[in-house]
Amino acid sequence: DEVNGRRNFIQSITTTAASAALLSLPNQALAADVVAEAPVEMKTFVDPKGLFALNIPKRFFSIRRTVKGDLPDEQTGKGRRGSSIFTAGDLAKAEVIAVERFPTVVMLEEEGILPSGDLTTFPTIGDATAVANLIALRRDKDKPGQARTLVVPNSVSVSEDGKSLYFSLSTDIDVQKPELLMEQMGVSELVRITKAKATLNSNDGQMMAVFASALQQDFNGPDGIALLDVVESFVALDQSQVQVEKKKESFKLF
């Protein structure tokens, strides 16, 4: 009887423990799935000036530059903030979105290239990788002191209509104490990855580009998916009719 009692007692403990484990496993797995798969909530930002539209994460702050000195000059593409007309981001996670606007002709002239012929599509401007490097170089000039940004090999592509150029950028971030970084974040180096899309769809001689960047490790989760959505959703709105109206107004002045 004593042996049977001990056996029953052990069986009851085992059964109870097994039941508890079975009950907890689905909840843990469900929680893990929720964390891994929960998408970042997005919202659509439509430029009040009618230049562009794109999706951005709801939690991001956003700034549309409107002060004349802050905006890039129509002729030079330069302002106090470089070529930037819109910024959004999450400072706590070092995730940033930027929209820039500058004349295609100026970008080429700054690098000693004489613009000629059709500049309304990327294939007619030149080699896609070369153009991506020109855009990256222009950004670096607007941010003196920042480490050199490199175009990621094999990341460059052009849309079927030739109006959009896609590419990725990589920037090494200087780390003063790699051992401390490894202890805190599990990595010994920091690399900023930027997904970019440049477009000529405004049809006004201006190139517009969106840049969505984050630390490399943050691209491996929902934030990376959200930033890709930012780039894919970016649309430069057609300004050709606006330019016609501006010319009509200028003629009226005379």
Side-chain angles (χ1 to χ4, degrees), residues 1-2 5 18 33 49 51 60 62 67 99-100 151 167 220 230:
D1 289 341
E2 183 178 346
D33 288 342
K49 298 290 186 180
L51 293 178
F60 277 24
S62 61
V67 178
V99 173
E100 299 186 8
V151 175
F167 56 96
N220 298 327
V230 170

Side-chain angles (χ1 to χ4, degrees), residues 132-154:
N133 275 293
L134 287 178
I135 296 171
L137 188 60
R138 195 174 202 281
R139 289 199 87 212
D140 283 346
K141 288 180 180 178
D142 284 343
K143 300 175 181 178
Q146 179 178 285
R148 173 73 191 277
T149 300
L150 301 175
V151 175
V152 177
N154 303 317

Side-chain angles (χ1 to χ4, degrees), residues 130-201:
V131 176
N133 275 293
L134 287 178
I135 296 171
L137 188 60
R138 195 174 202 281
R139 289 199 87 212
D140 283 346
K141 288 180 180 178
D142 284 343
K143 300 175 181 178
Q146 179 178 285
R148 173 73 191 277
T149 300
L150 301 175
V151 175
V152 177
N154 303 317
S155 70
V156 182
S157 64
V158 178
S159 61
E160 288 187 13
D161 63 1
K163 288 284 194 177
S164 296
L165 174 69
Y166 298 86
F167 56 96
S168 299
L169 303 171
S170 176
T171 309
D172 291 333
I173 299 174
D174 185 37
V175 177
Q176 298 296 326
K177 296 181 178 179
E179 66 282 354
L180 182 61
L181 185 67
M182 175 63 76
E183 183 180 320
Q184 294 179 341
M185 300 180 65
V187 294
S188 59
E189 61 180 10
L190 291 178
V191 178
R192 174 170 290 280
I193 298 297
T194 303
K195 300 295 182 179
K197 174 184 179 181
T199 177
L200 299 166
N201 279 317

Side-chain angles (χ1 to χ4, degrees), residues 242-254:
V242 176
Q243 295 300 311
V244 170
E245 294 300 324
K246 283 184 177 179
K247 287 181 179 180
K248 287 182 180 179
E249 289 297 322
S250 64
F251 284 133
K252 286 179 183 179
L253 294 175
F254 295 100

Side-chain angles (χ1 to χ4, degrees), residues 62-147:
S62 61
I63 300 172
R64 174 56 166 103
R65 307 194 193 290
T66 55
V67 178
K68 187 176 181 180
D70 284 345
L71 292 172
D73 183 83
E74 289 281 337
Q75 303 301 317
T76 66
K78 294 181 179 180
R80 283 196 293 261
R81 308 288 180 176
S83 299
S84 175
I85 62 173
F86 174 81
T87 303
D90 181 343
L91 296 181
K93 301 187 76 172
E95 296 176 357
V96 181
I97 297 166
V99 173
E100 299 186 8
R101 182 172 183 259
F102 49 88
T104 304
V105 168
V106 171
M107 181 191 72
L108 297 172
E109 289 177 339
E110 286 177 342
E111 299 306 318
I113 301 170
L114 182 63
S116 62
D118 182 9
L119 301 178
T120 61
T121 69
F122 285 101
T124 56
I125 291 175
D127 175 74
T129 300
V131 176
N133 275 293
L134 287 178
I135 296 171
L137 188 60
R138 195 174 202 281
R139 289 199 87 212
D140 283 346
K141 288 180 180 178
D142 284 343
K143 300 175 181 178
Q146 179 178 285

